[in-house]
Amino acid sequence: MADLSCSFLGIESPNPFWLASAPPTDKALNVYRAFEAGWGGAVWKTLGEDPPPVNVCSRYSAHKSSSGEVIGINNVELITDRPLSVNLSEIRQTKKDWPDRALIVSLMVPCEKKSWQDILKQVEDTGCDGVELNFGCPHGMPERGMGAAVGQVPEYIEMVTQWCKESTDLPVIVKLTPNITNITLSASAAKRAGADAVSLINTINSITGIDLDSMTALGAVGDKYTSGGYCGSAVKPIALNMVGQIGRHPETAGIPVSGIGGISNWHDAAEFIALGAGNVQVCTAAMLNGFKVISDLTDGLSQWMDSKGYKALNDFRGRALAGLTDWKYLDLNYKTVAHINQELCIQCGRCFAACEDTEHQAISVKPLSGEGWERRFEVQKEQCVGCNLCQITCPVNNCISMVRGNEGSEYLPWVRHPANPLTEKP
Amino acid sequence: MWVHMFGYFSASGMNEPDIKCERLAPSEYQKRFSDIKPAFNQNQALVESSRCLYCEAAPCVQACPTHINVPSFIHRINTNNIDGAAKTILEANIFGGSCARVCPTEILCEKACVRNFEPECQPIQIGRLQRYAIDNFSQEQYPFQRATPSGKKVAVVGAGPAGISCAHGLACMGHDVIIIDAGTKPGGLNEYGIAAYKLVDDYAQEEIEKITEIGGIEWKLNTHLGLDIQLDTLREQYDAVFLAIGLSDKRTLSLSGEESAGVKHAVDDIAELRRTENLSQISVGKRVVVIGGGNTAIDIACQIKRLGAETVVMVYRRSVECMSATWKEQKFALLNGVEIRTNCQPVAIQHDSGKVTGLLLDQTVGNSDSAERISIDADIIYRAIGQTMCCEHLALDKEIPEIQNGRITVDEQRRTTVKGVWAGGDCVDFGENLTVQAVQHGKEAAASIDRYLKTGG
């Protein structure tokens, strides 16, 4: 069996799955249940200064598929609404009872050096393994000058991170907001300030939907609503990109990353690690399935690693980063052509509709003689630009494959292409 | 009522037929005759509709005789536009509600569904989704309005799906219609020819009310063509005539003993089951034999079994592949405990003192020519071997539409050989005699009649 144990910033955990700082980690009771289920670690829900904030009702809303599957969740819950002392004593006891699990404490206090120094001192005393600076929360707290209000200004990230690094020996993880235009600027700021790691992504500003009867949003508080934070499987592609960009950018490459964002299964987790993440944090999958999902996350990851011959997480960590590049370096000579496996084709014509109406008219349809309604869809290779849309619309796995058209062609990126006016002519 | 026509009930002698009512506990009747395919709830409809692939030039649309735009109505259900879904259905098929319940979808739209292929091997439940859309249509009235009155009047003979579909089409186009029918209630086979658990809660009548709310449609019931009124007269009094007179003559076997008490026509009891207020008062044999291999045979066999018959045996003269009952209907019969015996040719009806006691059959095995003679004990024998058109409807007319092989000859527009006379439904159909096919005939005839009335030719 593959070894899932994980050392992130020297913080050991039996597996790379930590619960992210969020409602599931607000109390010892929840965290104990999670650890009993097998979670490798937890980032305690963000602590702030007393008096604690007051939360609204309701707090969540979902974007669902038509068959009812949750695609993403929006939330407007603030940081912990319990007194600081209660949380601190529960954290202390939890670490004592679960010494082999990673226990990180998420923090958010006003942008004053003293506030950060004070809370760090108290947190250090709990015996926790590290702190995570919450510069990402996009709802409520930014209105008070905290959370994403810090994370959206690289200078503030740098300043506060520096204060914290000066004030504690605990590992400092900076949690980044995706509600910015270029994640590498925020990550560089954290790195410059000496952050031990960044974690990302926090939630994305969202409104999940409008109730067309009441003309308020889903999850409204009475007749009013506010922009919340979006999470769940819908945000995974955005998170993967940000993790990948940090991993390949010269100024940020190498900083340890705790990957967060829509990790719903082992496969998602493996993808983050393949893009360089040192570990992963999960919330929505637990909220939707309960803590028991951890056994499927670890088992799936371990089975897959066995099948690939990976003995430890480091064996594949960052492996997918090598190919991530700028568009201008993509090979313009690389060609693929769609191929329809007629044995598997169920004749729905979705590929035809997509290609004929919106692409390159590269699929033909012919009725099959004497076979009732049966017809045959075929790719017209000369017209096919290898866009993948037919494959995407096809409801049958492996029915449409993209076949390499010109094996062994010469690598020709835009930077060397004759049509590029900036290409240096020989 | 026929129940009282026979003066005998369960008797003591060995060969005495055992026929009686109230074979079941009172509570059982409702249970056994409730809707066999219950309505989808919203969640089921959303999940099922999300399986639809929204095919290009969808095979299901081509497979539906009325060409309902199935992917579109399913997509509308899936996006919670139920009224839009219902309109899509009703515009193509005004009997969308009953067709959703009674269509043998397994040989129509659902047979064509591409989800039948691997990997799913399970078609979309189009019929149930169609019912969901129609049942949940939020408006009081069906979404049709009459065009400016044309001043033309059309007689429709037969108040079954073909006749009413034609009448509705004509009424929409502004013509006035009178529907003439021999029955006391409209509906035709939708009212009298469908197993009770397929169309519950008086749905056939409810639907007809909805359809005819459009106005311009007058009823003349209890009126027999050929007896109370002649086609000639109708042609004089109306601008056009549509004949949708169905197949009202019941076939017989020409076997010895066929006149014995207890030898019945399946369609009579299927109709009685629809008519009765109290299922427990229908008397049922203990041992029942049904002769025939179609859906009518299945309908009577299953209903009689559900009414408490101890054994119900369906006998069919040819192989199982030749049965016109669909595979789904056959499976349903087996699930109901009906025994199906194929390659059984009836030879004679056995009887005692004028009452049926059994059926004598020649049973062949495989392709062998030699037959084994067997007999099956029976208190009741049903004949479900099809109906033919009653030619007496038209016997007295001066000009009679051409009739070939027992069906009125029509062209692709449903025109008969007599000017101003159209025909549709089972009386022209050599196919499966499906409700949905009849609806399409009515639709096509209405369009043709409208052209005729507007252009005179």
Side-chain angles (χ1 to χ4, degrees), chain B residues 308-381:
Chain B
E310 206 168 282
T311 60
V312 177
V313 182
M314 254 179 80
V315 296
Y316 177 59
R317 65 199 160 98
R318 290 192 283 176
S319 66
V320 70
E321 297 79 35
C322 299
M323 285 174 76
S324 68
T326 69
W327 61 268
K328 213 170 187 176
E329 291 286 331
Q330 292 179 37
K331 200 169 137 193
F332 181 70
L334 296 174
L335 280 173
N336 277 271
V338 171
E339 185 190 344
I340 300 177
R341 289 202 198 172
T342 53
N343 299 305
C344 282
Q345 177 74 48
V347 175
I349 286 167
Q350 299 167 309
H351 53 92
D352 184 19
S353 320
K355 298 166 191 172
V356 64
T357 57
L359 179 65
L360 210 56
L361 303 140
D362 275 348
Q363 186 169 30
T364 52
V365 182
N367 294 324
S368 141
D369 284 337
S370 59
E372 187 190 348
R373 184 144 298 181
I374 57 167
S375 78
I376 306 174
D377 288 346
D379 312 307
I380 297 275
I381 294 176

Side-chain angles (χ1 to χ4, degrees), chain A residues 155-374:
Chain A
E155 292 76 11
Y156 292 171
I157 295 176
E158 195 171 346
M159 175 180 76
V160 179
T161 306
Q162 224 156 23
W163 292 341
C164 293
K165 280 304 291 177
E166 286 164 10
S167 314
T168 181
D169 292 331
L170 285 174
V172 172
I173 304 165
V174 173
K175 187 165 181 178
L176 301 177
T177 174
N179 299 306
I180 40 82
T181 49
N182 182 351
I183 195 69
T184 60
L185 297 180
S186 330
S188 298
K191 195 180 174 192
R192 275 198 303 278
D196 297 285
V198 289
S199 59
L200 70 158
I201 58 173
N202 205 310
T203 55
I204 303 175
N205 286 131
S206 77
I207 292 169
T208 47
I210 299 295
D211 179 328
L212 293 176
D213 293 321
S214 66
M215 286 295 172
T216 55
L218 305 180
V221 179
D223 60 354
K224 293 192 171 52
Y225 61 98
T226 190
S227 162
Y230 197 47
C231 59
S233 63
V235 311
K236 186 196 83 171
I238 297 162
L240 276 180
N241 173 55
M242 291 184 168
V243 168
Q245 296 306 336
I246 289 172
R248 81 178 184 100
H249 194 274
E251 283 181 31
T252 51
I255 188 168
V257 173
S258 183
I260 313 170
I263 294 166
S264 309
N265 51 53
W266 67 265
H267 202 284
D268 295 335
E271 292 171 31
F272 275 86
I273 295 168
L275 275 176
N279 74 350
V280 293
Q281 297 186 30
V282 178
C283 171
T284 315
M287 289 174 80
L288 294 175
N289 301 296
F291 291 139
K292 63 183 179 294
V293 74
I294 185 62
S295 76
D296 302 314
L297 293 170
T298 51
D299 185 68
L301 184 59
S302 160
Q303 297 282 357
W304 168 76
M305 286 170 65
D306 285 348
S307 75
K308 290 285 177 187
Y310 296 133
K311 294 199 162 32
L313 298 171
N314 279 335
D315 291 355
F316 71 98
R317 192 187 316 282
R319 286 267 185 116
L321 269 176
L324 179 60
T325 184
D326 291 341
W327 189 95
K328 63 189 173 198
Y329 300 120
L330 300 179
D331 183 4
L332 295 165
N333 272 343
Y334 179 85
K335 299 289 176 211
T336 60
V337 169
H339 175 263
I340 300 172
N341 181 337
Q342 298 295 339
E343 300 277 297
L344 297 178
C345 176
I346 64 171
Q347 304 166 20
C348 67
R350 289 177 61 83
C351 57
F352 174 83
C355 190
E356 190 71 13
D357 288 353
T358 71
E359 282 296 329
H360 292 76
Q361 298 73 48
I363 293 177
S364 66
V365 55
K366 279 190 213 112
L368 285 182
S369 53
E371 300 276 331
W373 308 286
E374 301 210 11

Side-chain angles (χ1 to χ4, degrees), chain B residues 61-378:
Chain B
V61 180
Q62 299 166 54
C64 172
T66 60
H67 306 305
I68 293 173
N69 190 338
V70 175
S72 181
F73 94 69
I74 292 180
H75 187 73
R76 291 176 188 203
I77 289 175
N78 195 242
T79 53
N80 212 20
N81 174 11
I82 309 301
D83 286 356
K87 278 181 198 170
T88 302
I89 295 159
L90 294 170
E91 277 163 8
N93 181 341
I94 193 66
F95 278 91
S98 55
C99 283
R101 292 163 166 83
V102 307
C103 262
T105 50
E106 65 274 21
I107 59 166
L108 300 169
C109 52
E110 291 179 17
K111 185 184 182 189
C113 178
V114 303
R115 286 284 199 200
N116 281 301
F117 288 101
E118 287 186 21
E120 295 239 339
C121 304
Q122 193 69 47
I124 310 291
Q125 296 184 57
I126 299 169
R128 294 182 81 182
L129 285 169
Q130 180 167 319
R131 175 174 171 183
Y132 177 80
I134 300 291
D135 284 1
N136 292 286
F137 185 60
S138 74
Q139 291 164 34
E140 283 284 306
Q141 296 197 331
Y142 275 180
F144 299 96
Q145 280 186 334
R146 294 197 72 190
T148 320
S150 66
K152 305 283 185 183
K153 292 184 82 173
V154 182
V156 168
V157 187
I164 294 175
S165 159
C166 181
H168 179 266
L170 291 167
C172 282
M173 297 165 195
H175 312 301
D176 285 329
V177 186
I178 182 162
I179 305 180
I180 297 157
D181 194 273
T184 52
K185 266 184 182 181
L189 287 185
N190 244 17
E191 179 56 45
Y192 297 118
I194 305 281
Y197 40 64
K198 287 184 183 169
L199 213 52
V200 300
D201 299 331
D202 212 17
Y203 185 77
Q205 293 307 311
E206 187 190 309
E207 183 178 46
I208 289 167
E209 273 169 38
K210 283 260 186 203
I211 294 172
T212 54
E213 262 171 2
I214 185 159
I217 298 172
E218 196 188 320
W219 296 104
K220 196 171 168 67
L221 299 170
N222 301 306
T223 306
H224 293 70
L225 182 68
L227 206 64
D228 304 318
I229 198 159
Q230 308 299 326
L231 176 60
D232 283 346
T233 324
L234 293 174
R235 289 179 61 207
E236 282 162 26
Q237 292 175 352
Y238 295 90
D239 297 299
V241 179
F242 179 59
L243 298 174
I245 53 182
L247 305 171
S248 51
D249 274 359
K250 292 157 268 193
R251 281 212 184 97
T252 56
L253 291 156
S254 310
L255 294 181
S256 75
E258 199 169 345
E259 68 293 340
S260 310
V263 179
K264 304 168 121 198
H265 286 289
V267 289
D268 292 339
D269 276 9
I270 288 173
E272 184 55 30
L273 270 149
R274 291 297 299 270
R275 251 183 238 124
T276 186
E277 297 281 316
N278 189 347
L279 288 163
S280 73
Q281 292 310 303
I282 296 208
S283 57
V284 176
K286 186 175 173 185
R287 298 154 303 175
V288 177
V289 172
V290 177
I291 303 170
N295 289 341
T296 303
I298 304 262
D299 276 355
I300 192 66
C302 294
Q303 292 193 97
I304 292 300
K305 190 75 175 59
R306 283 178 177 226
L307 283 173
E310 206 168 282
T311 60
V312 177
V313 182
M314 254 179 80
V315 296
Y316 177 59
R317 65 199 160 98
R318 290 192 283 176
S319 66
V320 70
E321 297 79 35
C322 299
M323 285 174 76
S324 68
T326 69
W327 61 268
K328 213 170 187 176
E329 291 286 331
Q330 292 179 37
K331 200 169 137 193
F332 181 70
L334 296 174
L335 280 173
N336 277 271
V338 171
E339 185 190 344
I340 300 177
R341 289 202 198 172
T342 53
N343 299 305
C344 282
Q345 177 74 48
V347 175
I349 286 167
Q350 299 167 309
H351 53 92
D352 184 19
S353 320
K355 298 166 191 172
V356 64
T357 57
L359 179 65
L360 210 56
L361 303 140
D362 275 348
Q363 186 169 30
T364 52
V365 182
N367 294 324
S368 141
D369 284 337
S370 59
E372 187 190 348
R373 184 144 298 181
I374 57 167
S375 78
I376 306 174
D377 288 346

Side-chain angles (χ1 to χ4, degrees), chain B residues 32-80:
Chain B
R32 295 188 182 196
F33 281 81
S34 60
D35 207 337
I36 47 165
K37 214 193 295 176
F40 269 154
N41 59 38
Q42 188 192 21
N43 195 52
Q44 290 170 313
L46 287 176
V47 170
E48 189 63 14
S49 59
S50 68
R51 293 183 59 230
C52 175
L53 292 170
Y54 206 62
C55 292
E56 184 74 3
C60 52
V61 180
Q62 299 166 54
C64 172
T66 60
H67 306 305
I68 293 173
N69 190 338
V70 175
S72 181
F73 94 69
I74 292 180
H75 187 73
R76 291 176 188 203
I77 289 175
N78 195 242
T79 53
N80 212 20

